[in-house]
Amino acid sequence: MSSSTSKKDSKLSKDSKLKKATKKEIAQIKALFLEHYKNAKTELNYRNDFELLISVMLSAQCTDKRVNLITPALFDKYPTPKDLQNAPLDEIKEYIKTCSFFNNKAENLKAMAKEICQRFDGQVPLEREALKSLPGVGQKTANVVLIESKEANFIAVDTHVFRVSHRLGLSSANTPIATEKDLTKAYQDNLATLHQAMVLFGRYICKAINPKCQECFLNHLCKSKTTYRC
């Protein structure tokens, strides 16, 4: 991110503090998200919790479309944590080399598989703190895995959710974790569905560049229109 863009986003974030959504508006936003994205699901392809965890780890700063191109061969080669922990690092890198930051991700995948084998009997732990204890797994990744696997009442803040929440005046926080706290407090329940809704809404309608404001069912509730970009 350039310094000029960073300064611009910082200013807009401060400005957005003056345009908070009211309780009535928050309720309207929630209802409309649930109406339009009732059955929203991730666009990542996976068959079990282990594949889900790998996919979410790979999706950091990478598109779901790219991850879905990479994972079929990876999953076939390393179907279990034991297979992945024993794989040569260079071989893992070869499978995911078209993914952003593939060197670090390959190291984390191998280390994650090793931890699962040694500490969790080869099973992906489905508790947030346990997941966060794995290499390469932060709160966002842990939340997404639990949302997908258990429909846990969490919300994960990626770049889409961050942008959407600020444009709608749901948060003026400067970090994903702080934004997550604001959204959790505002919404309280249905967080798993609302997470999926905000991701898809941000990906296809409320885009960073050239958002589709004319097609937006939340246009009348938007606080910053096209000005807030991240």
Side-chain angles (χ1 to χ4, degrees):
M1 180 183 292
S2 68
S3 60
S4 60
T5 302
S6 179
K7 290 178 181 178
K8 179 181 179 181
D9 285 348
S10 177
K11 179 179 182 300
L12 290 169
S13 183
K14 291 177 181 178
D15 289 347
S16 68
K17 292 180 180 180
L18 303 176
K19 303 176 182 179
K20 287 252 186 160
T22 65
K23 288 185 178 181
K24 181 179 179 180
E25 289 172 334
I26 289 171
Q28 291 176 321
I29 291 167
K30 179 178 181 179
L32 286 168
F33 270 137
L34 293 177
E35 175 187 343
H36 285 262
Y37 294 96
K38 183 178 180 180
N39 300 309
K41 295 292 182 183
T42 183
E43 294 184 314
L44 292 170
N45 297 328
Y46 67 93
R47 296 168 295 190
N48 54 56
D49 290 332
F50 182 55
E51 292 184 355
L52 170 61
L53 177 55
I54 290 173
S55 294
V56 178
M57 291 175 68
L58 289 175
S59 71
Q61 296 180 288
C62 186
T63 66
D64 287 1
K65 182 177 180 180
R66 169 56 53 188
V67 172
N68 287 337
L69 291 173
I70 292 169
T71 51
L74 184 70
F75 294 159
D76 286 344
K77 184 66 176 180
Y78 314 117
T80 69
K82 184 177 179 180
D83 294 319
L84 187 56
Q85 76 158 349
N86 292 331
L89 184 59
D90 287 342
E91 193 172 277
I92 299 173
K93 290 180 181 181
E94 185 64 24
Y95 276 96
I96 68 170
K97 64 183 180 181
T98 60
C99 187
S100 58
F101 306 103
F102 72 93
N103 285 313
N104 287 338
K105 288 180 180 179
E107 292 177 0
N108 284 331
L109 288 177
K110 184 175 173 68
M112 171 272 290
K114 181 178 179 180
E115 289 288 298
I116 287 178
C117 288
Q118 292 184 347
R119 296 171 50 217
F120 300 103
D121 297 321
Q123 300 297 315
V124 175
L126 293 178
E127 295 180 357
R128 183 158 67 176
E129 293 308 310
L131 279 168
K132 287 169 61 178
S133 74
L134 298 173
V137 179
Q139 183 148 311
K140 178 173 73 71
T141 295
N143 283 3
V144 172
V145 169
L146 294 171
I147 287 166
E148 288 297 324
S149 180
K150 300 174 64 176
E151 295 188 354
N153 194 44
F154 293 137
I155 196 157
V157 179
D158 65 359
T159 183
H160 301 299
V161 175
F162 189 86
R163 179 174 64 255
V164 168
S165 63
H166 284 72
R167 283 181 174 173
L168 291 174
L170 298 171
S171 176
S172 59
N174 293 321
T175 67
I177 293 296
T179 301
E180 178 189 329
K181 290 180 180 178
D182 287 343
L183 294 175
T184 300
K185 181 179 179 181
Y187 288 145
Q188 297 186 23
D189 56 21
N190 295 111
L191 296 184
T193 302
L194 289 164
H195 162 76
Q196 305 286 20
M198 293 180 78
V199 169
L200 295 175
F201 178 73
R203 183 174 292 162
Y204 296 111
I205 297 178
C206 193
K207 300 188 292 184
I209 300 174
N210 298 322
K212 298 181 179 180
C213 297
Q214 298 305 314
E215 302 175 23
C216 180
F217 58 87
L218 292 172
N219 191 300
H220 62 297
L221 296 169
C222 185
K223 301 300 182 183
S224 53
K225 304 297 182 185
T226 62
T227 57
Y228 194 95
R229 291 170 57 183
C230 67

